[in-house]
């Protein structure tokens, strides 16, 4: 063997004509296929499925250090027909045997690493995209989500967070529970309660409109290993697992994380670089959204309602805050919206025509009005409002009454008695 040996991943015992993939490239294997050589330094994700259709897929993350000293890194994964899953080769004797025999399969049995079916500059661009798509992923993140199995952080299409098990399309609750082979431990994003315990009135309203407190609390309590960067890492992880494995639970968590990030206001001023990086991550992800199979990720007019709403709300929220870092966030948001306008025909900004004349194919002109944006813009009847409750109304709402102090309740009762006295006086006179 004259060619220099480089970092390699072996994929052994795969059934004939199996779907196989690494990072952004997937292909159908041949009988001579044994793995992939010339791996670049950084994160990689290999995955396989028995067919190229939407069958159950198995995948595993591993990291190539690319150190020049010492023997080249060798990762060995194999298909276990009894368990029907992709497993790590842990037997040391087998590892030594394959390393010794690597030269015999180097030329004919190993495919060179690339991220495009072509061998031109497009492949280099795709490889660079993969590095950027995984830039915030860490070993600690993968261990938290999938378990402590270094260089074989594995999961499948059916892996799911506990909160998403009953939501798997096409399966009942009992069937979903049996279909989930591994529980994923995502960050516990709760969009229904984004305020501190004990908050009442105006504080709850502000925290529901600006979820900055919920984001900071999530980072403080659950991101001790990586801080706010861990949120971006999970955003990248969930998107890439949707892209490669069509994992439904990862799609739901990706939506939750975006919904949290893009509804923050004050946090944009205090941590502007976090949101600059988040928008950069989102733009690159949307660039590759067309690669996702099965209609899970739809950027068409109907399928992109959530994302459009979040981006519109994010820009509107930024108009109400000021700070040195706000300009950088707006600049990156402008780049994202320009790309969406050019590539997808989107109009994100709130200033566009909603009423006008439309010319039909036969030349007739009719007046048209585009509606349905009030809820997204939080305007019109959807404008948020703080409602002050009387003590009786608070007690009728159950738990809210407990938030009132004895002094507040006494004052409310006194005000109610004064109102009744005035009504009696009006009746008499």
């Amino acid at each position: 063997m004259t060619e220099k040996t480089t970092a390699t991943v072996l994929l052994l015992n795969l059934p004939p004509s199996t779907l196989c993939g690494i990072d952004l490239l997937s292909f159908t294997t041949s009988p001579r296929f044994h793995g992939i050589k010339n791996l670049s330094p950084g994160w990689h994700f290999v995955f396989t499925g028995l067919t190229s259709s939407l069958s159950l897929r198995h995948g595993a993350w591993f990291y190539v250090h690319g150190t020049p000293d010492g023997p080249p890194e060798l990762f060995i994964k194999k298909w276990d027909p009894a368990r029907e899953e992709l497993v790590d080769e842990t037997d040391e004797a087998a590892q030594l045997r394959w390393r010794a025999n690597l030269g015999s399969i180097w030329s004919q049995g190993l495919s060179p690493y690339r991220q495009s079916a072509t061998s031109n500059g497009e492949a280099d661009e795709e490889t660079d995209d993969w590095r950027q798509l995984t830039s915030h992923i860490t070993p600690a993140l993968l261990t938290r989500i999938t378990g402590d199995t270094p260089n074989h952080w594995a999961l499948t299409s059916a892996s799911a967070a506990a909160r998403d098990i009953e939501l798997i399309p096409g399966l009942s609750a009992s069937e979903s529970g049996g279909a989930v082979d591994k529980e994923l431990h995502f960050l516990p994003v709760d969009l229904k309660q984004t305020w501190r315990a004990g908050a009442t009135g105006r504080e709850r309203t502000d925290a529901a409109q600006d979820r900055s407190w919920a984001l900071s609390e999530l980072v403080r309590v659950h991101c001790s290993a990586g801080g706010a960067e861990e949120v971006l890492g999970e955003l990248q992880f969930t998107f890439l697992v949707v892209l490669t494995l069509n994992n439904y639970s990862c799609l739901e968590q990706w939506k939750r994380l975006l919904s949290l990030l893009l509804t923050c206001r004050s946090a944009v001023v205090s941590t502007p670089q976090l949101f600059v990086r988040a928008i950069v991550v989102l733009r690159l992800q949307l660039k590759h959204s067309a690669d996702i199979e099965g209609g899970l990720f739809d950027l068409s007019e109907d399928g992109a309602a959530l994302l459009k709403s979040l981006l519109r709300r994010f820009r509107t929220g930024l108009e109400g805050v000021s700070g040195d870092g706000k300009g950088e966030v707006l600049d990156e948001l402008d780049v994202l919206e320009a790309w969406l306008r050019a590539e997808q025909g989107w109009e994100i900004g709130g200033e566009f025509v909603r009423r006008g004349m439309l010319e039909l194919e036969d030349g007739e002109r009719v007046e048209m009005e585009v509606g349905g944006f009030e809820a997204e813009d939080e305007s019109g009847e959807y404008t948020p409002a703080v409602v002050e409750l009387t003590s009786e109304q608070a007690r009728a709402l159950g738990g809210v009454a407990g938030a009132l102090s004895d002094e507040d309740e006494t004052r409310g009762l006194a005000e109610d008695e004064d109102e009744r006295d005035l009504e009696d006086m009006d009746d008499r006179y």
Side-chain angles (χ1 to χ4, degrees), residues 24 94 109 124 181 211 294 362 422:
L24 298 175
D124 295 333
D181 57 355
R211 290 169 171 160
D362 59 2
L422 289 174

Side-chain angles (χ1 to χ4, degrees), residues 390-401:
T390 66
S391 57
E392 292 182 357
Q393 290 172 324
R395 284 194 299 272
L397 289 175
V400 179

Side-chain angles (χ1 to χ4, degrees), residues 155-224:
L155 71 163
T156 75
S157 305
S159 302
R163 65 190 298 182
D164 297 323
I165 290 176
E166 295 184 358
L167 301 177
I168 298 176
L171 296 178
S172 64
S174 59
E175 292 173 331
S176 297
V180 174
D181 57 355
K182 172 181 284 190
E183 181 179 349
L184 303 179
H185 300 280
F186 293 137
L187 293 173
V189 179
D190 185 1
L191 299 174
K192 295 181 179 180
Q193 181 172 339
T194 55
W195 50 83
R196 66 175 180 84
T200 59
R202 167 63 69 177
E203 186 179 357
R204 283 193 177 198
T205 301
D206 291 344
Q209 296 173 349
D210 176 7
R211 290 169 171 160
S212 297
W213 181 87
L215 175 62
S216 64
E217 189 69 1
L218 182 74
V219 172
R220 184 186 71 84
V221 177
H222 300 284
C223 299
S224 57

Side-chain angles (χ1 to χ4, degrees), residues 100-249:
N101 293 330
L102 204 55
S104 62
I105 60 172
W106 188 262
S107 298
Q108 301 297 322
L110 299 177
S111 299
Y113 174 77
R114 61 181 185 274
Q115 287 297 280
S116 174
T118 60
S119 58
N120 53 23
E122 181 182 347
D124 295 333
E125 179 183 351
E126 294 290 335
T127 301
D128 188 59
D129 278 359
W130 177 258
R131 282 193 290 265
Q132 295 180 57
L133 285 166
T134 57
S135 58
H136 300 286
I137 293 176
T138 64
L141 171 81
L142 295 177
T143 296
R144 171 174 60 80
I145 296 176
T146 69
D148 190 10
T149 53
N151 280 327
H152 191 78
W153 290 280
L155 71 163
T156 75
S157 305
S159 302
R163 65 190 298 182
D164 297 323
I165 290 176
E166 295 184 358
L167 301 177
I168 298 176
L171 296 178
S172 64
S174 59
E175 292 173 331
S176 297
V180 174
D181 57 355
K182 172 181 284 190
E183 181 179 349
L184 303 179
H185 300 280
F186 293 137
L187 293 173
V189 179
D190 185 1
L191 299 174
K192 295 181 179 180
Q193 181 172 339
T194 55
W195 50 83
R196 66 175 180 84
T200 59
R202 167 63 69 177
E203 186 179 357
R204 283 193 177 198
T205 301
D206 291 344
Q209 296 173 349
D210 176 7
R211 290 169 171 160
S212 297
W213 181 87
L215 175 62
S216 64
E217 189 69 1
L218 182 74
V219 172
R220 184 186 71 84
V221 177
H222 300 284
C223 299
S224 57
E229 293 292 316
E230 197 166 337
V231 178
L232 300 183
E234 188 159 310
L235 189 69
Q236 291 184 326
F237 171 90
T238 50
F239 176 83
L240 291 173
V241 176
V242 174
L243 178 66
T244 53
L245 301 185
N246 299 302
N247 184 287
Y248 179 80
S249 184

Side-chain angles (χ1 to χ4, degrees), residues 20 42 75 100 173 184 248 255 271 274 278 321 327 344 353 356 367 413:
C20 188
F75 306 88
L184 303 179
Y248 179 80
K255 293 178 182 178
T271 56
L274 170 65
V321 299
Q344 303 293 335
V353 177
E367 186 177 16
L413 291 173

Side-chain angles (χ1 to χ4, degrees), residues 21-25 40 43-47 113 115 130 243-244:
I22 182 167
D23 304 343
L24 298 175
L25 180 69
S40 59
W43 287 109
H44 293 286
F45 185 71
V46 290
F47 57 97
Y113 174 77
Q115 287 297 280
W130 177 258
L243 178 66
T244 53

